[in-house]
Every structure is written in structure tokens, then in C-alpha cells.
Amino acid sequence: METDPLSRGRRIRIARGASPWLVPTVATAALSLTRARKSGRWAAAAVPATALAAGMLWFFRDPEREIAQGRVISPADGVVQSIMPWKDGRTRVAIFMSPLNVHVNRAPLAGTVTSVEHIPGGFVPAFNKESENNERVVWHFDTELGDIEMVQIAGAVARRIVPYLPAGTKVEQGERIGLIRFGSRVDIYLPEDVEVAVEVGDQTRAGVTRIDRV
């Protein structure tokens, strides 16, 4: 299994919140492999069951990262989908996460979590404009740049967002804050005086890619 370049030689951990998906698939694979020697049916089932378990382990990997230096770093692995000026002067950077990305999100700045709000909604594909009305979790951080808003958006497959931290928690830049299962999107709203350093189509890595310009 390929490891994250910045965590090569270290043990790859599994994301918190993966158990409801991971445990049944791994248990099924283990059972089918155990019984495969005595039954042709179990042997036939062992191949897809093992492949599915391996896929789940890959999807829910949570590699260690060497956190970058910078005022604002990417909260998510993925591709910059859009960069949009907002009416209040902020700039929204939307990052699309495919099923192959690491799905653990990280704090873009150090500060205090002031609110974590779950908002029910739909489940259209995260790359669709209408995904703004999807199931989502809205975060607000009190930081040295003021209030920073970040939104985790569920997609057509990713129907469960798992926040790791409650309001009132102090966080370090790059600290793990939550998980979105499978494909999804993360939006971050940059203050008016922060220039965006990434462009649409750029690849980002949570905790590693700087998204503001000096």
C-alpha cells in the first residue's frame, strides 16, 4: 500500500469515525478467508470481500503530516474547485475531495473553535453547484486573523460528517478536526485582506498546502 510521502517510514493510522464502514468489511473479509480453504463458495467470496476491505483501509487512511508554515493552510486534500469573491469582502475557496483523497480535515489556523453547527440538507454530488444546500457542518474559528469560517459539505456518497471537536476547543494549525466519509467538499472563507495563493485546478493537501499569499 502506498504511503503518504511525508509520513513514509511511519505507521499509517486509520481515521476516527471509520468504524461503522470499516469493521463490517474487515470482519467479512477475515471470515471469508478463514473459511475459503473448506468451501469453494467462501473462496469465491473472499476475493471481492478482501478487495473491499483493502479499499476501505485505503479510503480511511489518516497519515501523519509535517505541518506547513503560513497564515492559512489547506483544511483538505483535493482539488481547488472554485475561488469566489463573497458579498462581505471575503473570498471562498472550495476544495473538492474525491474518494481517493485522505478525508480527514485539519484546522486551517490556530485558534479556538467558537461554533460547530450541523445543517441538514441534500446529497447531490459535491462538485455540483447545488451541493451548497447539501448536508454540512459549519465551523467558526477565532484566530489571529479574526473569525474564520470553514464548511464541510457531504456529497452523493459521503453522507456522514464526523466532527472531532466541540465548540470551545483550542486547536493548533493543522490539527485534525473532523472526517467526511468518501467524496465531498470543504469550503474556507478567507478574510478581505488575505490574498489567495492557489488557483482553480490546483491540488491541495491538508496541513501542507498554503492557501494564502505573503
Side-chain angles (χ1 to χ4, degrees):
M1 182 181 296
E2 181 182 356
T3 58
D4 187 287
L6 293 182
S7 60
R8 192 166 294 153
R10 305 176 186 175
R11 182 179 179 182
I12 300 297
R13 56 188 280 174
I14 299 299
R16 288 169 50 196
S19 297
W21 290 80
L22 194 58
V23 171
T25 55
V26 171
T28 300
L31 178 63
S32 62
L33 287 170
T34 300
R35 298 187 176 182
R37 296 180 180 179
K38 299 180 180 180
S39 169
R41 291 184 179 180
W42 279 105
V47 175
T50 302
L52 180 59
M56 288 292 181
L57 287 169
W58 176 248
F59 289 148
F60 290 118
R61 69 198 185 280
D62 183 11
E64 297 294 340
R65 294 278 169 86
E66 183 177 336
I67 305 305
Q69 299 294 318
R71 290 190 300 174
V72 187
I73 57 177
S74 177
D77 285 23
V79 177
V80 178
Q81 179 183 8
S82 66
I83 299 172
M84 183 180 297
W86 222 239
K87 294 180 180 179
D88 58 8
R90 297 180 299 168
T91 300
R92 187 189 70 182
V93 179
I95 300 171
F96 173 71
M97 304 165 63
S98 81
L100 297 180
N101 289 126
V102 173
H103 281 75
V104 175
N105 301 140
R106 294 174 178 262
L109 292 88
T112 301
V113 179
T114 55
S115 68
V116 184
E117 181 184 7
H118 172 259
I119 301 176
F123 296 101
V124 302
F127 53 80
N128 193 309
K129 182 178 179 180
E130 294 180 2
S131 65
E132 295 176 8
N133 297 318
N134 275 13
E135 185 98 3
R136 58 201 184 277
V137 171
V138 180
W139 296 75
H140 283 272
F141 302 89
D142 181 21
T143 74
E144 62 178 8
L145 296 181
D147 176 69
I148 296 294
E149 180 179 351
M150 188 191 93
V151 184
Q152 295 174 295
I153 303 174
V157 178
R159 299 192 173 217
R160 184 73 168 89
I161 301 172
V162 185
Y164 291 166
L165 307 173
T169 305
K170 292 185 178 181
V171 296
E172 296 296 328
Q173 189 175 43
E175 182 177 342
R176 297 172 177 87
I177 62 170
L179 168 74
I180 313 178
R181 294 174 182 160
F182 303 106
S184 43
R185 195 177 104 193
V186 175
D187 295 349
I188 181 170
Y189 293 79
L190 301 180
E192 186 174 5
D193 60 344
V194 175
E195 184 180 356
V196 180
V198 294
E199 298 180 354
V200 173
D202 283 354
Q203 297 278 344
T204 63
R205 297 177 67 229
V208 176
T209 304
R210 183 168 181 174
I211 59 174
D212 76 298
R213 195 181 306 279
V214 178

